[in-house]
Amino acid sequence: MARTVYYTATTLDGFIADPNDSLEWLLRQTEEPPDDGFIDGVGAVVMGATTYEWVLRNLDGPWPYEVPAWVMTHRKLGLPEAGKDGKTPDIRFAKGSVSDHYFEMCTATGDRDLWVMGGGDLAGQFADEGLLDEIITWTAPVVLGKGRPLLPRRLDLELIEVGSSAPFVIARHRVIGPLLEDSPAE
């Protein structure tokens, strides 16, 4: 069965973008993150409209993902141009709850992972439905003070792995569920 993994970069104070949805703090890091093999294990991608629009604005070439991509949105959005091979990317615009589309997303992954690419609230929607398995963060040595939060939910996590790749601290967590103290009294 596919795992649903939120894989993202974040600042030390837990933001994935500044208040203007800028990632300049990430793009100016002196070292390019190494290929950790994560992308090779991805069978489908899901992102919110803001992330999708950021990717389109910053494309330097064709659509970068060869796997099916879902964009959760209530707005009408355009598709990127076809690649050099003439193929239109497999992008699916979806409305409603993430759980309404989860089975289709997981089916598309084959035996690989579903990558929740962004943003934090979208990852939170997966967590709310009990559909988020892991969170992998690349934490940069930057503090923004405010912006788009990494994951605006209260969750208990289990640290699975920690490492570094200058200048990032990399942490992998298993999602246990809502904070124990948030559980209804029995």
Side-chain angles (χ1 to χ4, degrees), residues 22-104:
S22 172
L23 297 178
E24 287 304 313
W25 64 269
L26 175 61
L27 300 176
R28 68 177 171 73
Q29 296 305 308
T30 58
E31 296 291 324
E32 189 72 25
D35 180 3
D36 63 358
F38 176 78
I39 299 297
D40 294 336
V42 171
V45 176
V46 58
M47 65 188 79
T50 301
T51 300
Y52 177 72
E53 289 174 320
W54 187 93
V55 171
L56 289 181
R57 276 193 316 274
N58 291 279
L59 274 179
D60 186 22
W63 180 250
Y65 309 105
E66 296 178 9
V67 297
W70 275 260
V71 179
M72 301 302 296
T73 185
H74 297 288
R75 297 182 272 148
K76 185 168 177 71
L77 299 170
L79 289 168
E81 294 181 25
K84 291 180 183 177
D85 59 5
K87 290 175 56 178
T88 301
D90 185 356
I91 299 172
R92 306 166 193 200
F93 299 104
K95 293 181 188 177
S97 168
V98 295
S99 62
D100 293 342
H101 305 281
Y102 186 69
F103 179 79
E104 183 183 4

Side-chain angles (χ1 to χ4, degrees), residues 6-19:
Y6 180 36
Y7 180 92
T8 191
T10 183
T11 63
L12 185 62
D13 57 346
F15 296 105
I16 58 174
D18 76 10

